Amino acid sequence: MAIPEPKSPPGDRIAKVLARAGIASRRGAEAMIAEGRIAVNGTVIDSPALNVTPADRITADGKPVEAPEPPRLWLYHKPTGLVTTEKDELGRPTVFAALPEDMPRVVSVGRLDLNSEGLLLLTNDGGIKRKLELPSTGWLRKYRVRLKGTPTDETFEPLRKGLTVDDVKYQPMTITFDRQQGANAWITVALREGKNREIRRAMEALGLVVNRLIRVSYGPFRLGDLKPGAVEEVRARVLADQLGLEPREAQTKPKRRLPRRPTRGKTGPKGP
């Protein structure tokens, strides 16, 4: 007779629950546990190898940990001039400081550099962030790119085949030549990676300069007519369908939110 495998204890790992509640990342939560800052049902714990359920009372630094919100995802039209980080050592304006006042604590899915604009996904859930960023999931990102110069369709063949720049290998890109507009050319680029400044560096390898870059989609999520600085939540059922999550209760049509304040552009690194 086969011996039944032991069942996993009910609930979720404590670090996952703390991350979902916005206390810290999973790694940060594990560090807090090691420092003796987390208690469950009045007992300080010293190991993250613990499952908890909603019935358990959790405190962090002596303060009760509220039940985490259900997973949520927002579309944000990032303007130029914002860095995708909580704080910037150079004092430049950030995406998170520009968000509407009523937004909950969120993290970004990937990044767009200071001079790039367009669709940036924001979520309150670390699991969604990891799922959307994992190279193995291969979410297709599409960009509208304006280049200085007069390239032809054949100019982009090396990028369609994949190339290596400064020992960094870039996977093949799908590139469509759209039109020439005076001294600039417009193209559409689709890729499944998200390496740092990938499109800009790949174009530089061809002797081309990107002077505008707009992300128009990330997987099934599209920028559409969302205005710069505006935020729109993805419907719960759409999120559940696209990411294989348990659907939340039906909600009303998500509202578009205006940014907290107007922003102006500067120059800087990071992003495709």
Side-chain angles (χ1 to χ4, degrees):
M1 180 182 295
I3 299 175
E5 294 183 4
K7 294 182 179 179
S8 299
D12 292 313
R13 286 288 174 138
I14 180 68
K16 178 180 179 180
V17 172
L18 292 170
R20 283 280 308 280
I23 301 301
S25 66
R26 288 198 191 189
R27 191 168 295 178
E30 290 174 357
M32 292 178 70
I33 291 168
E35 293 164 4
R37 298 165 59 189
I38 305 298
V40 177
N41 299 324
T43 301
V44 175
I45 63 173
D46 57 10
S47 170
L50 173 69
N51 279 30
V52 293
T53 71
D56 291 307
R57 293 178 291 104
I58 306 170
T59 58
D61 296 327
K63 298 179 181 179
V65 174
E66 301 295 335
E69 283 194 345
R72 299 168 72 185
L73 184 73
W74 289 265
L75 313 179
Y76 173 57
H77 188 154
K78 177 194 173 296
T80 57
L82 300 179
V83 290
T84 312
T85 183
E86 286 282 355
K87 296 180 181 179
D88 182 64
E89 65 278 4
L90 301 179
R92 295 170 297 185
T94 72
V95 163
F96 300 100
L99 291 176
E101 299 270 356
D102 62 344
M103 284 284 289
R105 180 183 181 275
V106 293
V107 293
S108 66
V109 176
R111 296 188 178 189
L112 286 175
D113 73 26
L114 193 72
N115 291 326
S116 298
E117 57 193 291
L119 181 62
L120 184 66
L121 300 180
L122 305 171
T123 180
N124 67 336
D125 186 87
I128 288 180
K129 173 181 168 68
R130 286 187 295 276
K131 190 164 189 174
L132 287 168
E133 288 180 345
L134 278 174
S136 58
T137 59
W139 292 94
L140 188 70
R141 292 96 152 160
K142 286 188 178 181
Y143 301 81
R144 293 274 288 132
V145 182
R146 189 177 68 191
L147 302 166
K148 182 180 180 181
T150 56
T152 64
D153 187 67
E154 289 72 24
T155 302
F156 306 105
E157 278 306 307
L159 302 186
R160 293 177 177 128
K161 297 175 181 177
L163 80 167
T164 300
V165 180
D166 296 331
D167 296 326
V168 178
K169 185 176 181 180
Y170 296 117
Q171 297 298 319
M173 303 177 186
T174 300
I175 301 178
T176 304
F177 185 89
D178 297 322
R179 71 181 188 275
Q180 187 71 35
Q181 189 176 44
N184 296 303
W186 280 96
I187 63 173
T188 299
V189 179
L191 49 83
R192 296 185 183 275
E193 290 186 303
K195 291 179 178 175
N196 186 27
R197 297 174 64 83
E198 180 170 354
I199 293 176
R200 296 181 188 277
R201 288 177 173 170
M203 294 301 167
E204 286 172 3
L206 301 184
L208 299 169
V209 176
V210 173
N211 53 30
R212 192 172 183 190
L213 190 151
I214 310 163
R215 182 153 65 193
V216 295
S217 67
Y218 193 115
F221 307 107
R222 300 184 181 281
L223 183 65
D225 61 356
L226 195 64
K227 303 299 182 185
V231 185
E232 181 176 284
E233 185 171 2
V234 175
R235 286 179 178 273
R237 187 160 296 281
V238 172
L239 182 60
D241 289 345
Q242 295 295 341
L243 300 184
L245 305 175
E246 289 295 325
R248 291 178 282 141
E249 293 181 2
Q251 61 186 35
T252 57
K253 183 178 180 180
K255 295 181 179 179
R256 293 191 175 188
R257 298 178 171 93
L258 297 177
R260 183 176 300 178
R261 63 177 72 88
T263 56
R264 295 188 180 275
K266 294 183 183 179
T267 56
K270 289 224 185 218

